[in-house]
Amino acid sequence: MRFGHFDDERREYVIDRPDTPLPWINYLGTEAYFGIISNTAGGYSFYRDARLRRLTRYRYNNAPFDFGGRYLYLRDPGTGEFWSPTWQPTQPELDEYECRHGMSYTQIASSYRNIRARVSYFVPLGETLEVWRLRLTNERAEAAELSVFSSVEFCLWDAQDDATNFQRNFSTGQVEVVDGVIYHKTEYRERRDHFAYFACSEPLAGFDTARESFLGPYRSWDRPIAVERGSSSDSVAHGWQPHGSHHVRIALQPGETREIGFVLGYWENPRDAKFDPPGSQTINKHMVRPVIARWLRQDTVDEGFRALREHWDNLLGGLQVSTPDGETDRMVNIWNAYQNMVTFNMSRSTSFYESGIGRGMGFRDSNQDLLGFVHMIPERAKERILDIAATQLATGGAYHQYQPLTKRGNNDIGSGFNDDPLWLILGVAAYLKETGDTSILEALVPYDNDPGTEQPLYDHLQRSLRYTLDRLGPHGLPLIGRADWNDCLNLNCFSETPGEPFQTTENATGGVAESVFIAGQFVLAARELAGIAALVGRPGQEYLDAAEKMSGTIAEHGWDGAWFRRAYDFHGNVVGSASNDEGQIFIEPQGMCVMGGVGVEDGTAATALASVRERLATPHGIILQQPAYSSYRVELGEISSYPPGYKENAGIFCHTNPWLMIAEAIVGNGDAAFDYYKRINPAAREAISEVHRCEPYVYAQMIAGRDAPTHGEAKNSWLTGTAAWNYAAITQWILGIRPELTGLRVAPVIPADWPGFTAVRRFRGATYRIEVRRGDERSLTVDGVAVSPDAVLPLAQAGTDVEVILTVS
Ligand code: BGC
């Protein structure tokens, strides 16, 4: 069952009923000011950091799930009836409803009692504000008088504090209304140089800035007293809950259309600004007023919207493909690339499943997100790499997360996830492959943001490898620390007295548990670093030797006979082996070892992949491990705390699936690689939206596994490494358009029944027009000249077009 359809022409997903199984959301903003917005206008906004600079309030885990947002009300004074044109929060029986989620904008349109409404929301490029544009048409035979009310609830900046520290915060709220603009200027402790504003293009009939005055005591947003009554009370909040609401009265002749603009924004005073009078924020208002005036004008909004569309045309123009499979094209050309931008910006901080409070930028997560983003805006990828590297510790280890606003390692979670440092090598390798910009390796970057500790980025990469080599366990495999990629495999939680954990997940760093996954990741990273060394004329043989040695250790202690083992626990017991009663085979080492090249020559890789097909593959994707753990095991930690079939305990953890697609491509099995790709492709799952439940236009982190009663149900959409890795799997390995250190390679491993495909790829300033076709013999021509089909394409002059024809048999 579908709840909408794709409009590929306009690059939109069109939702045709408001009550989707879960909120189907979109993101506003691409640079500094961001918001999440649902198909019924739910969600919130923030500046740079969803925790520390939250503009509007949102209550998570609410009922209904999606409640609180950028709401508008229309009221007909003739009947006293009022409704929300975006369905929430009044939930009217709309005659028509349509939500179009596009590239960084959302439009929600509806019709009720012959009043047609369309609200467009977007963040103009380069601005720290969002525009709401309401377009109203009177389709009645007679004139219509209407009241329009807006509503946002302000957050007192630090969302964590806002949600908990009421004894203080009920006394701190401050607002000011000047010339119809509502300024929210509550100070967050020491800060005195920023505020939010909410403005409307029309003369106001009234306003409210105190939530209680707008809603009325004992009421919620479904029937605010001001709307019911048809008049605001011009309330000014003193403490309690600052709120923003405008009231506008309009009259529409039959057939007449009117537009009303709203602007919600953030303003930060320049550091050296002088206040006049001292202590006031008057100067800010002088500075922000022209900005507000500009964005309340329709021509500016039209122009801003056009610029946003052009921006996305340009970004998506980096790679466009035309394959025999429409759902592949749709994801590669539009939605997967779009999701990559969102994961790059948000890491794992802000969605309807990530609170914006709990998690900042993940060290491992952000490095992986680069894989899908770097070709779009390499300069931002570079900046991100340098930010991440600056949080690395002098030991080569890493804070697991850092806060986007401060860019400092986050002590809440700390360090000790032993896979983290190796991801930095893979992130930097992706940047170098895309850009060829080796100067990044010389960039001076501190450790732990400590001035005076600056070293070239290359030194950081060396320390990343060294970190693993300095921490090998009894079998010569890397120590896992608190966990590796699988956060929930906490193998150093052991108990001296059965039933009583001596170590917990939080302090599980000291043990001797080892990870075969990190071993595979090490082989991959060491080979990448050797390639980078060769590129810049540095010695790299020791990295190759270390990779070789680690491969040997994997063969000796990490191979189980038909697949790669997962780990050894604190007691030296094997995890992910046929000798285990549960958790016999895990997906992660099969993918990572084969990606590192382990077992590809001697055939063990192919054996491992056959085991995955036999034991882990389901029609909804590949399960993380089998058999699921049926009870909690202290020696395994959190993984065994999930019910069977969910999350890391035998869920389909989608992030890992593309590793298997890549592995299948590496061993030359295009049918299997593409088959896995289709199983979790959200567009291909659109028709089963009642089962999948999450948005059909973006990947979700998890689909419930076959042990779960809800097998096939997705959760945690949007912010997942699944986006970047799937993009890499389909574009670089299945379609085979692969940036390498020395240039672009075209090496497709496509399904046997595909006649070929075409693609346009921007690479290092040149445009490659690629055609892959079938023929009797493999051949490659570049601008009509035959070259070896195994060659990397010769680097072309920036600004030129290159015609590439590859014939595969
Ligand atoms: C985290 C990843 C982690 C994955 C598997 C996700 O929630 O963001 O860093 O690799 O879970 O545990």
Side-chain angles (χ1 to χ4, degrees):
M1 179 181 173
R2 290 180 164 81
F3 294 81
H5 63 272
F6 286 91
D7 182 342
D8 293 341
E9 192 80 6
R10 293 175 51 159
R11 296 178 178 148
E12 291 171 341
Y13 191 79
V14 187
I15 302 167
D16 55 24
R17 50 187 284 185
D19 55 341
T20 45
L22 290 163
W24 284 6
I25 73 161
N26 193 13
Y27 285 78
L28 307 176
T30 54
E31 292 152 319
Y33 181 103
F34 297 105
I36 51 180
I37 182 161
S38 74
N39 56 311
T40 59
Y44 61 88
S45 301
F46 60 96
Y47 173 71
R48 287 197 188 278
D49 190 314
R51 171 167 172 182
L52 298 176
R53 293 288 180 278
R54 185 81 67 95
L55 263 80
T56 56
R57 187 172 281 159
Y58 195 79
R59 289 171 192 77
Y60 287 94
N61 202 0
N62 215 333
F65 194 129
D66 175 19
F67 193 78
R70 301 170 183 81
Y71 290 151
L72 291 171
Y73 302 83
L74 302 178
R75 181 176 185 276
D76 189 335
T79 59
E81 194 179 15
F82 60 89
W83 69 98
S84 313
T86 59
W87 193 62
Q88 283 275 57
T90 67
Q91 302 191 359
E93 294 275 322
L94 295 169
D95 300 318
E96 286 174 36
Y97 162 90
E98 183 184 90
C99 168
R100 289 181 170 264
H101 284 319
M103 305 288 103
S104 306
Y105 66 87
T106 286
Q107 288 182 337
I108 305 175
S110 65
S111 173
Y112 187 72
R113 303 263 191 263
N114 291 321
I115 299 296
R116 187 166 292 282
R118 190 185 73 194
V119 202
S120 310
Y121 300 92
F122 76 101
V123 176
L125 295 173
E127 300 287 352
T128 59
L129 56 86
E130 66 189 66
V131 171
W132 312 1
R133 183 194 246 188
L134 170 65
R135 185 185 160 91
L136 290 172
T137 305
N138 177 12
E139 295 182 339
R140 297 176 180 171
E142 67 279 4
E145 303 227 325
L146 292 174
S147 270
V148 179
F149 292 86
S150 62
S151 166
V152 292
E153 190 184 8
F154 291 112
C155 180
L156 309 183
W157 306 115
D158 180 334
Q160 168 86 36
D161 192 72
D162 180 77
T164 48
N165 194 3
F166 310 114
Q167 62 79 24
R168 175 180 197 276
N169 293 338
F170 284 170
S171 295
T172 59
Q174 280 181 287
V175 295
E176 195 177 330
V177 184
V178 185
D179 299 334
V181 180
I182 297 169
Y183 295 91
H184 172 230
K185 48 181 214 172
T186 304
E187 285 160 6
Y188 177 67
R189 300 211 161 94
E190 77 285 359
R191 277 189 76 86
R192 287 166 201 280
D193 56 1
H194 71 164
F195 56 84
Y197 55 86
F198 190 31
C200 173
S201 62
E202 305 305 301
L204 301 187
F207 61 85
D208 271 303
T209 68
R211 189 183 79 191
E212 194 178 276
S213 303
F214 178 69
L215 296 180
Y218 298 100
R219 287 181 179 230
S220 181
W221 277 265
D222 57 339
R223 49 185 197 106
I225 191 100
V227 179
E228 188 177 283
R229 195 174 54 213
S231 65
S232 307
S233 46
D234 296 354
S235 58
V236 176
H238 301 287
W240 297 110
Q241 298 88 6
H243 183 266
S245 173
H246 309 97
H247 175 203
V248 171
R249 290 205 175 94
I250 60 164
L252 291 173
Q253 294 311 309
E256 189 183 350
T257 295
R258 282 273 297 278
E259 302 214 331
I260 302 178
F262 298 90
V263 174
L264 173 66
Y266 175 83
W267 188 263
E268 194 166 47
N269 213 35
R271 287 240 165 264
D272 55 355
K274 302 270 180 304
F275 293 108
D276 175 25
S280 81
Q281 293 176 328
T282 318
I283 189 169
N284 310 51
K285 278 175 236 146
H286 288 319
M287 292 168 80
V288 78
R289 239 182 250 141
V291 178
I292 295 174
R294 204 163 64 240
W295 287 103
L296 287 175
R297 285 214 322 262
Q298 286 188 19
D299 56 344
T300 319
V301 172
D302 286 338
E303 177 54 30
F305 192 65
R306 202 187 50 72
L308 183 65
R309 285 197 94 112
E310 262 176 24
H311 178 68
W312 273 107
D313 285 348
N314 180 44
L315 290 180
L316 298 180
L319 175 62
Q320 290 288 298
V321 303
S322 176
T323 74
D325 184 71
E327 282 145 1
T328 298
D329 296 358
R330 176 173 281 161
M331 290 309 292
V332 170
N333 296 341
I334 307 171
W335 290 100
N336 196 168
Y338 181 59
Q339 189 178 1
N340 291 341
M341 164 70 98
V342 172
T343 54
F344 174 82
N345 281 326
M346 303 288 139
S347 193
R348 305 296 171 268
S349 72
T350 317
S351 73
F352 270 37
Y353 308 88
E354 303 281 6
S355 67
I357 295 173
R359 307 222 255 167
M361 313 295 287
F363 194 98
R364 81 155 78 92
D365 293 331
S366 291
N367 272 305
Q368 292 172 84
D369 293 342
L370 290 170
L371 305 178
F373 175 80
V374 62
H375 72 289
M376 288 199 265
I377 314 182
E379 308 74 50
R380 286 189 69 198
K382 179 175 188 172
E383 191 190 337
R384 175 63 52 79
I385 287 171
L386 299 178
D387 286 349
I388 298 173
T391 69
Q392 189 176 24
L393 301 166
T395 57
Y399 286 105
H400 198 49
Q401 287 172 16
Y402 70 96
Q403 210 53 42
L405 197 69
T406 62
K407 297 189 175 175
R408 296 205 160 242
N410 178 334
N411 263 325
D412 296 354
I413 299 192
S415 57
F417 294 80
N418 283 352
D419 63 316
D420 269 337
L422 295 173
W423 294 113
L424 181 64
I425 299 177
L426 302 178
V428 172
Y431 174 78
L432 289 170
K433 289 175 184 177
E434 185 63 38
T435 62
D437 168 24
T438 53
S439 74
I440 193 175
L441 298 170
E442 305 308 323
L444 292 176
V445 186
Y447 286 96
D448 197 5
N449 282 294
D450 190 6
T453 60
E454 287 80 5
Q455 289 292 327
L457 181 65
Y458 193 80
D459 184 72
H460 285 250
L461 305 187
Q462 288 176 303
R463 290 197 203 184
S464 293
L465 272 197
R466 181 48 49 208
Y467 181 86
T468 306
L469 292 175
D470 286 347
R471 287 165 184 74
L472 299 179
H475 299 90
L477 291 163
L479 294 180
I480 198 168
R482 284 170 64 178
D484 59 25
W485 172 88
N486 188 331
D487 280 331
C488 303
L489 195 60
N490 315 125
L491 300 181
N492 290 313
C493 307
F494 60 92
S495 160
E496 294 196 324
T497 323
E500 274 177 42
F502 171 66
Q503 292 226 101
T504 61
T505 311
E506 283 68 41
N507 64 1
T509 45
V512 293
E514 298 164 288
S515 163
V516 178
F517 172 84
I518 299 182
Q521 188 194 12
F522 177 86
V523 175
L524 177 62
R527 290 184 172 151
E528 290 286 19
L529 192 56
I532 294 171
L535 185 72
V536 294
R538 288 177 181 249
Q541 189 57 41
E542 60 171 313
Y543 311 138
L544 290 176
D545 293 345
E548 198 59 34
K549 187 156 178 236
M550 190 66 82
S551 291
T553 309
I554 295 173
E556 197 179 338
H557 297 292
W559 181 251
D560 200 58
W563 56 80
F564 294 101
R565 294 174 168 174
R566 182 62 179 86
Y568 288 88
D569 72 13
F570 177 81
H571 306 283
N573 296 322
V574 65
V575 178
S577 158
S579 63
N580 296 121
D581 59 340
E582 294 175 336
Q584 293 177 335
I585 171 171
F586 282 67
I587 190 173
E588 307 103 303
Q590 323 312 324
M592 195 44 85
C593 289
V594 180
M595 288 200 294
V598 182
V600 174
E601 311 253 282
D602 65 18
T604 50
T607 306
L609 298 182
S611 299
V612 169
R613 272 198 296 283
E614 188 190 319
R615 292 175 164 249
L616 299 178
T618 80
H620 294 293
I622 314 168
I623 295 177
L624 193 140
Q625 53 85 0
Q626 282 283 284
Y629 294 111
S630 55
S631 59
Y632 183 69
R633 299 173 185 227
V634 69
E635 72 280 10
L636 299 177
E638 189 178 346
I639 187 171
S640 57
S641 72
Y642 286 109
Y646 292 102
K647 296 280 282 182
E648 283 86 342
N649 188 15
I652 296 158
F653 214 98
C654 297
H655 186 142
T656 60
N657 280 218
W659 297 343
L660 271 292
M661 297 167 204
I662 295 172
E664 290 287 5
I666 287 173
V667 302
N669 194 348
D671 282 334
F674 189 68
D675 175 29
Y676 286 153
Y677 175 74
K678 283 292 282 208
R679 293 186 200 200
I680 64 163
N681 178 332
R685 297 171 62 78
E686 187 197 17
I688 54 160
S689 286
E690 80 287 4
V691 177
H692 185 78
R693 301 186 79 226
C694 278
E695 298 92 330
Y697 40 92
V698 288
Y699 288 97
Q701 180 208 58
M702 201 247 340
I703 297 174
R706 72 169 156 236
D707 301 285
T710 58
H711 185 33
E713 179 192 39
K715 268 190 205 131
N716 302 4
S717 54
W718 283 98
L719 302 185
T720 162
T722 313
W725 276 109
N726 263 289
Y727 193 78
I730 184 69
T731 64
Q732 299 185 11
W733 294 93
I734 298 176
L735 301 180
I737 303 171
R738 190 156 68 241
E740 294 193 353
L741 291 169
T742 51
L744 193 63
R745 184 184 292 282
V746 184
V749 185
I750 49 178
D753 61 358
W754 276 22
F757 66 91
T758 60
V760 181
R761 173 65 150 94
R762 248 185 350 241
F763 181 73
R764 302 195 193 177
T767 301
Y768 292 79
R769 298 182 190 285
I770 301 164
E771 184 184 340
V772 173
R773 30 165 113 132
R774 295 279 179 192
D776 295 335
E777 261 177 49
R778 282 181 75 223
S779 67
L780 176 63
T781 63
V782 179
D783 282 336
V785 179
V787 297
S788 156
D790 296 320
V792 165
L793 301 180
L795 278 179
Q797 200 85 46
T800 59
D801 270 28
V802 184
E803 202 193 350
V804 178
I805 300 175
L806 175 71
T807 306
V808 292
S809 46

